[in-house]
Amino acid sequence: CGLLNTQVPCLEPNLRNVTAIMYSVQSFAHYPPQTIHVAIVCAGYNASRDVVTLVKSVLFHRRNPLHFHFITDSIAQQILSSLFQSWMVPAVRVDFYDADELKSEVSWIPNKHYSGIYGLMKLVLTKTLPSNLHRVIVLDTDITFATDIAELWAVFHKFKGKKQVLGLVENQSDWYLGNLWKNHRPWPALGRGFNTGVILLLLDRLRKLKWEQMWRLTAERELMSMLSTSLADQDIFNAVIKQNPFLVHQLQCFWNVQLSDHTRSEKCYKDVSDLKVIHWNSPKKLRVKNKHVEFFRNLYLTFLEYDGNLLRRELFGCPSEADHNSENLQKTLSELDEDDPCYEFRRERFTVHRTHLYFLHYEYELSADNTDVTLVAQLSMDRLQMLEAICKHWEGPISLALYLSDAEAQQFLRYAQGSEVLMSRGNVGYHIVYKEGQFYPVNLLRNVAMRQVKTPYMFLSDIDFLPMYGLYDYLRKSVVQLDMTNTKKALVVPAFETLRYRLSYPKSKAELLSQLDMGTLFTFRYHVWTKGHAPTNFAKWRTATTPYRVQWEADFEPYVMVKRDSPEYDRRFVGFGWNKVAHIMELDAQEYEFVVLPNAYMIHMPHAPSFDITKFRSNKQYRVCLKTLKEEFQQNMSRRFGFAALKYMTVENNS
């Protein structure tokens, strides 16, 4: 394993593994590695999350180029296409096929399986996949590989004659024997039947045998008495095989060690080195009963929490097809001066972070009145406790970018699934941006969250602020009152702060002013950075009853509501400092009018200082580089906006 990547530990080091790798490295010098094709049906948010663990386990062991063929609904395609584009794994190609176009092919089959209509789509792969694709490995999303998938691909050479077209492992439960409970009547099968979680398909031969016609006639005949399938495509595959046993090349059972409640899978392996593929083929998944389940669970968790960035390694002796984006990125990085003391800052701007959109289920329907607004924020693991409070204060849609490691993403998943507040909300989009590099990419995170906003307007906030109760409705009304549709406005929500961890949150402006006078609340950063919010004009806000316009001033960084198509944040600013200031400057340069809302407010809640603000305060080079980046940004603004941007060059900014 060390030959492939010194950062990746072997799961089960032994002499056989090392010998196989040495042989494969030597053989690459003579034969270009063959591309292995893998087909997976994947639909919805949960399956999109689960399939990543399968992909990691395949990438971990592989020594060949891979071509994934995903049959997906629109949700899974959006999530997985974004994930693979940002993952940038060499020698991996991904194609998508629209499952919605295939529904009519199988929707006539009544199916009781929890996978629903998508559980039947493996039946139509001969029709769906390209006609020039001759063979493919088909996998369920709940599979984990414990070996190189090339070993399974090599089994195609063991198919005998021209009629063996399906490689399958025998079913490892008594399901098809029909003796699990009284009146249990399964579909017809050959002996114990076969499990379809792992299939080797010889597509060209299947097409010649008129597979489409074969399975349809069988399904129609059996449904006259069975009425519906219980195990989706597996029932129909088995009914066809019962009539045509010559179709099957039986795979050794370690190629699909099935972990259902009634499994007899322990007969498939004597020790760890025998394991090849583990299949969590029960609705209970990791909670299934099996005497070795603890070992299997640990193997699965290894890949679940494994840092996917380590899988970006190149393959030995295997030049990958030139990727235009990757080439451009390498060219850009090569042009940076590594001796520049601000090199790490500059490099961060071009880092491609692996991104998993909609990590949890998301439901949102656009309102008819076209005034809807989404709260946008970003966070890391140490701010997770703010989520429930924000959900209680803001009932509208929310778009959040979370900066997490693979292991932290699983901690977040457990936290969210254990929270009644979070689970009761379908209109919160959680987008994971995986950790990489030494800086917190604050503006990249904001941009990721902004790009997933579905509403016409967005409220650009921070995770440590609690919006006032009713702010969502107030902002929607302001859209109409201030004619946001036809004007270029940024609506300012005045920001306050408390130093108390337990605050009686003010339910009205009058109550807030009272707390302000008592010293329970302060205007935001009043003690340390007055310039950031001074233009809001808090003295005027105290008595204002109508919205009022304010002018941009140096270092102004208010929290604003803007249209969805507003400018993104500048990625050169990472960690602490100038990230919001630059964005507000950009809005001003594009002639946005800043309008303060008289009855809106938000309150910053206290927390420990972030790692980045600590670095900013203690590291002189950090402050020097931030000043350099700020000056370059201002020069860039003057080039883009000409004379109008002169004021950004002449004011003295000391952030």
Side-chain angles (χ1 to χ4, degrees), residues 530-566:
T530 314
K531 295 171 75 174
H533 294 264
T536 301
N537 195 344
F538 290 101
K540 182 170 183 174
W541 182 83
R542 291 181 72 102
T543 57
T545 55
T546 56
Y548 58 93
R549 185 176 178 182
V550 295
Q551 297 297 322
W552 175 88
E553 294 177 22
D555 301 315
F556 193 28
E557 51 176 4
Y559 293 94
V560 296
M561 183 183 85
V562 289
K563 287 179 181 171
R564 183 178 58 195
D565 61 358
S566 296

Side-chain angles (χ1 to χ4, degrees), residues 513-529:
L513 291 173
S514 173
Q515 292 188 13
L516 206 57
D517 293 337
M518 289 190 297
T520 310
L521 290 178
F522 305 92
T523 54
F524 185 55
R525 291 289 180 261
Y526 171 76
H527 300 88
V528 292
W529 185 241

Side-chain angles (χ1 to χ4, degrees), residues 36 161 199 218 257 263 282 310 616:
I36 294 169
I199 317 175
T218 303
V257 176
T263 186
S282 162
L310 298 179
F616 172 81

